Amino acid sequence: GRKVMVDLEHFFDGHKFDAGYALDCCRAAVDAGAEVLVMCDTNGGSMPWEVEEITRGAMEEFGGKVTLGMHAHNDCGLAVANSLTAAKAGVGLIQGTINGIGERTGNADLCSIVPSLALHVDSKMNCNEHLSEITSLSRFLDETLNRPPNRGAPYV
């Protein structure tokens, strides 16, 4: 058995343009056996209040059937905020990268998301006991990529 995860590229932009069609795509994926629907803010232009409203609607329809997830890009500097907002609205999976490294302006930074969920939301994540290692993880990646660490980054 494999677990099918569907990354819904451009989901938030698509939902704002035609909510019915975006939700029909989700229904088709669920009907075909998907266990996880990952809602993507592919262009990174969604505002937290939009993410909250759209995610709550998706949770109402699909929350008991599948796990919903969030994948945010940082084009407006809101990838972490949007990911935390989606978590608050009920998603069970957040995709991101260490130090927010990704195309264009980057992805949601797990070095900010994980400690925020652990320390401020009291999430019961399996990695909570390893939070003290997040700085060394962040620095290891920077060293591997031969780039200077962001000394102003939260938590690290």
Side-chain angles (χ1 to χ4, degrees):
R2 295 185 181 187
K3 182 180 259 189
V4 175
M5 299 175 64
V6 177
D7 275 2
L8 301 160
E9 292 291 329
H10 300 280
F11 176 77
F12 287 95
D13 289 334
H15 191 284
K16 288 181 264 185
F17 181 75
D18 187 342
Y21 181 77
L23 294 174
D24 284 345
C25 291
C26 293
R27 283 185 208 98
V30 171
D31 291 346
E35 296 179 50
V36 181
L37 299 177
V38 182
M39 302 174 294
C40 301
D41 184 23
T42 309
N43 289 328
S46 294
M47 297 291 110
W49 52 88
E50 294 172 320
V51 168
E52 182 172 20
E53 179 183 344
I54 292 168
T55 301
R56 286 194 191 282
M59 286 299 299
E60 286 176 17
E61 182 154 354
F62 304 106
K65 301 171 188 160
V66 297
T67 298
L68 288 175
M70 178 68 182
H71 177 103
H73 285 258
N74 203 37
D75 297 68
C76 288
L78 295 170
V80 169
N82 284 340
S83 297
L84 294 172
T85 298
K88 180 182 175 200
V91 303
L93 170 80
I94 295 178
Q95 294 179 345
T97 62
I98 303 303
N99 297 336
I101 293 172
E103 64 183 342
R104 298 184 319 274
T105 59
N107 293 86
D109 185 354
L110 292 173
C111 292
S112 293
I113 293 169
V114 171
S116 291
L117 289 173
L119 301 171
H120 300 288
V121 182
D122 196 30
S123 288
K124 307 296 185 228
M125 298 176 292
N126 293 333
C127 61
N128 284 357
E129 63 191 58
H130 299 286
L131 284 179
S132 63
E133 299 172 34
I134 203 158
T135 300
S136 60
L137 174 63
S138 171
R139 298 295 188 259
F140 171 77
L141 184 61
D142 286 334
E143 179 68 26
T144 300
L145 296 176
N146 195 32
R147 63 180 228 159
N150 177 359
R151 298 290 180 195
Y155 299 110
V156 298

